[in-house]
Amino acid sequence: MKTNRRDLLKAAAAAGALGAVWPLVGDLSPAQAVEAAGLLGAEYDPAPFTLGVASGDPTPTGFVLWTRLAPEPLAAEQALPEVVEVKWVVAEDRDLRRVVARGTAPASATLGHSVHVSVDGLRDGRQYWYAFSALGRRSRLGRTRTAPAGPVSRVRFASANCQAFHGGYYAAHRGIAREDIDFVVHLGDYIYEGGPVSGPRGNGTAVDFTLGDYRRRHALYKGDRSLREAHAAHPWFLTWDDHEVVDNYSGTGGGAPFMQRRAAAYQAWYENMPHRDDSETALPDPEIHRVRRWGDLLELTVLDLRSYRSAQNLPDGTILGARQKDWLKRGVDRAPDSWHCWVNSIMLNQLRGRPGGDFMFTDQWDGFLAEREEVLTHVHRSGLEDLVVITGDWHSAFVGDVRTDFDEPSSPVVGTEFTAHSISSNAYSPAWNAANGPRMGAANPHLQYFEGNRYGYDLYEVTPERWTTSMRVVQDLQDPVSPVTTLTAFHVDRGKAGAYEDPATKNSPAQYRRG
């Protein structure tokens, strides 16, 4: 087994030698930084495609293909020509013989020598393979698919969130890469802007401001082989949370230095993600919120809960922003007869800290009470059924009823929220979870389940009759090839709001279960 990443960093910090082992600290050259990253288990694909390949945002006729040329992955800028022509190919077979599309795209220094190819004109519901070539080299092979159109009998997908590199290995992404699924949804905190010594909520010590800083951090994270494997295996839908920029930020607050930092962070995110931007220009503000459909079975609504929010705890505060809120409500009004999944980076459900207490984590929707009530009341009045919300951020697993009024236990249940374990970001301690799980359950009657001692991802299987969420957890966060098992599973029946635990797994460990 490789070096224990988290313990090595803690020991180095305690000895005052963090600069010798943390690749993003100190005055290390790009080669020295790669060597330091190697001590933490990082390794890269052959140059210039060191960061791998990826696909995203599948539609019935196509998808986006991504790669980034980075011969020196941990350099802020690459020693490459201003523009490099990159060839790409899409085929119906893994040997790339039955070619259905090919072309050439420019990789410019302006966008970190990244490539975003929007492929269109393909057949719906089909699997494809793809690869890039440039500078006399070919990338690894990627696999992707188009979304289906028309009747669909099943969709399987996974969600991931909160993957602090310093927290441990990405065995969960290794599991995702090997799952038989149609796509992956990333719920945010793909990177952490802080340093390697972090508290339970992921607050770091280092400060990054420049585009180069964020580029290097994205490249460090993609040094984990399992993350590159998960990208190459499936198409991804993406949203973001706060740590892609800075902890607990509001996208509309702050002066010029913060706005410059946000622009740098957003650009680096775009440069390193298989994201299709529907606006006229992806920068300086990539457009994240979108609706995508998987045939007639699933409507996926991706939310951006950072870019347009106001400060917290204001009577007229907004987490969505006026335009996104109107867009969401219009979508509810004209939603098709299908399952509806909101991709939500921070908890929608109310979460009081103790019975009768006023304390709530107001960086979540709890900091925007009036808008939450407005949106959920609109869902109820519209008659929308079969709403499931999938959420990250908390580094723990929750299952809860979504109600129009969380302080009124008799208010209508309009959906279910599944909050997933983190990939690797530090959770609260087992002692904290044991003490506070029952307190949160008593203080929040809509809460069904809480488990905070594990790491992993959620796997969803959706049919016309039932939604199933399986909590997939790794055995050992410090083992890069740790086995993955199912901790428990919950079901939601079509036409009936509210989830119930699978009888076969309801005796699994948890710090709280309702009833």
Side-chain angles (χ1 to χ4, degrees):
M1 188 170 65
K2 298 180 181 180
T3 303
N4 185 317
R5 181 182 292 171
R6 182 168 57 187
D7 289 350
L8 175 61
L9 289 166
K10 286 182 177 179
L18 192 59
V21 296
W22 181 238
L24 306 181
V25 172
D27 298 322
L28 301 179
S29 69
Q32 291 171 328
V34 168
E35 183 178 358
L39 296 176
L40 301 176
E43 54 183 296
Y44 293 92
D45 284 5
F49 300 102
T50 53
L51 307 182
V53 301
S55 67
D57 200 26
T59 68
T61 59
F63 35 70
V64 169
L65 301 180
W66 169 91
T67 193
R68 182 173 162 233
L69 306 182
E72 295 183 289
L74 295 181
E77 296 183 1
Q78 302 297 315
L80 291 171
E82 180 68 23
V83 177
V84 178
E85 294 297 323
V86 179
K87 295 180 180 179
W88 56 272
V89 61
V90 177
E92 294 178 327
D93 64 308
R94 63 181 305 112
D95 294 324
L96 303 181
R97 292 176 179 171
R98 299 196 301 274
V99 174
V100 295
R102 67 167 78 241
T104 303
S108 70
T110 303
L111 290 178
H113 290 97
S114 63
V115 175
H116 296 79
V117 177
S118 182
V119 183
D120 203 5
L122 304 181
R123 301 173 71 181
D124 68 276
R126 300 300 178 100
Q127 184 168 264
Y128 294 94
W129 283 262
Y130 65 93
F132 297 89
S133 58
L135 303 175
R137 301 292 182 89
R138 205 193 85 170
S139 71
R140 69 157 68 204
L141 185 69
R143 181 183 63 187
T144 189
R145 66 174 61 245
T146 52
V152 175
S153 61
R154 188 188 76 161
V155 59
R156 299 181 86 241
F157 65 103
S159 70
N161 74 95
C162 300
Q163 53 193 47
F165 183 87
H166 48 271
Y169 288 99
Y170 294 165
H173 276 304
R174 183 173 183 269
I176 289 174
R178 286 157 175 75
E179 295 280 8
D180 178 18
I181 56 178
D182 297 296
F183 57 87
V184 177
V185 176
H186 201 284
L187 300 168
D189 290 343
Y190 189 102
I191 64 166
Y192 278 69
E193 86 293 352
V197 183
S198 300
R201 294 292 290 174
N203 299 320
T205 57
V207 177
D208 291 339
F209 289 98
T210 70
L211 175 58
D213 291 327
Y214 284 109
R215 282 174 173 168
R216 295 174 67 231
R217 192 164 297 269
H218 277 279
L220 174 64
Y221 277 54
K222 283 197 169 68
D224 193 300
R225 171 191 285 184
S226 295
L227 178 57
R228 298 197 308 280
E229 288 181 351
H231 272 299
H234 314 291
W236 286 40
F237 294 98
L238 300 130
T239 189
W240 51 32
D241 195 20
D242 52 344
H243 289 290
E244 283 86 353
V245 181
V246 66
D247 190 27
N248 291 351
Y249 82 95
S250 167
T252 58
F258 168 74
M259 297 307 289
Q260 291 172 353
R261 176 176 182 170
R262 192 190 80 156
Y266 280 8
Q267 177 169 337
W269 183 91
Y270 177 74
E271 290 175 353
N272 286 278
M273 297 297 153
H275 174 68
R276 183 204 310 267
D277 196 274
D278 291 331
S279 61
E280 293 183 0
T281 174
L283 299 173
D285 296 308
E287 187 173 272
I288 302 298
H289 62 284
R290 64 200 57 230
V291 172
R292 294 290 182 259
R293 295 194 173 106
W294 208 259
D296 65 350
L297 182 60
L298 176 68
E299 181 185 61
L300 201 68
T301 300
V302 182
L303 301 177
D304 181 350
L305 302 180
R306 286 290 164 187
S307 298
Y308 316 114
R309 64 160 60 191
S310 67
Q312 306 164 16
N313 302 321
L314 300 176
D316 59 348
T318 178
I319 193 171
L320 292 164
R323 291 181 62 187
Q324 186 179 200
K325 181 175 68 175
D326 290 344
W327 166 85
L328 177 61
K329 292 167 73 174
R330 289 195 305 271
V332 167
D333 291 337
R334 57 174 179 251
D337 181 17
S338 66
W339 287 98
H340 307 283
C341 177
W342 288 3
V343 176
N344 182 66
S345 58
I346 50 178
M347 190 176 286
L348 174 66
N349 275 358
Q350 183 168 288
L351 192 65
R352 294 193 183 277
R354 64 181 188 275
D358 293 330
F359 177 76
M360 294 187 285
F361 295 102
T362 56
D363 188 58
Q364 304 171 167
W365 282 79
D366 278 339
F368 307 88
L369 299 179
E371 183 164 272
R372 178 174 63 190
E373 183 177 357
E374 175 189 351
V375 169
L376 295 180
T377 298
H378 185 83
V379 168
H380 176 58
R381 290 175 177 170
S382 73
L384 183 77
E385 294 183 330
D386 307 314
L387 172 63
V388 176
V389 181
I390 61 174
T391 299
D393 181 58
W394 237 94
H395 309 178
S396 302
F398 294 80
V399 180
D401 300 329
V402 179
R403 293 184 178 272
T404 56
D405 183 351
F406 291 103
D407 289 323
E408 178 48 67
S410 64
S411 67
V413 177
V414 297
T416 294
E417 181 175 37
F418 294 107
T419 301
H421 291 98
S422 68
I423 294 289
S424 63
S425 301
N426 294 349
Y428 285 108
S429 70
W432 191 97
N433 293 331
N436 287 280
R439 292 172 185 166
M440 289 188 293
N444 302 277
H446 50 278
L447 181 63
Q448 292 193 47
Y449 173 93
F450 167 74
E451 202 293 314
N453 292 346
R454 289 163 177 81
Y455 300 85
Y457 56 95
D458 276 2
L459 180 67
Y460 314 97
E461 180 165 331
V462 185
T463 70
E465 295 79 28
R466 190 167 76 170
W467 177 297
T468 298
T469 297
S470 299
M471 299 178 192
R472 303 277 283 158
V473 296
V474 300
Q475 180 175 304
D476 181 1
L477 186 60
Q478 299 308 321
D479 180 358
V481 295
S482 175
V484 176
T485 58
T486 297
L487 175 64
T488 192
F490 278 78
H491 306 293
V492 181
D493 291 331
R494 185 78 178 267
K496 185 178 180 180
Y500 59 95
E501 194 165 9
D502 193 295
T505 59
K506 67 179 182 180
N507 293 321
S508 60
Q511 289 78 59
Y512 174 75
R513 275 187 175 87
R514 187 167 69 194

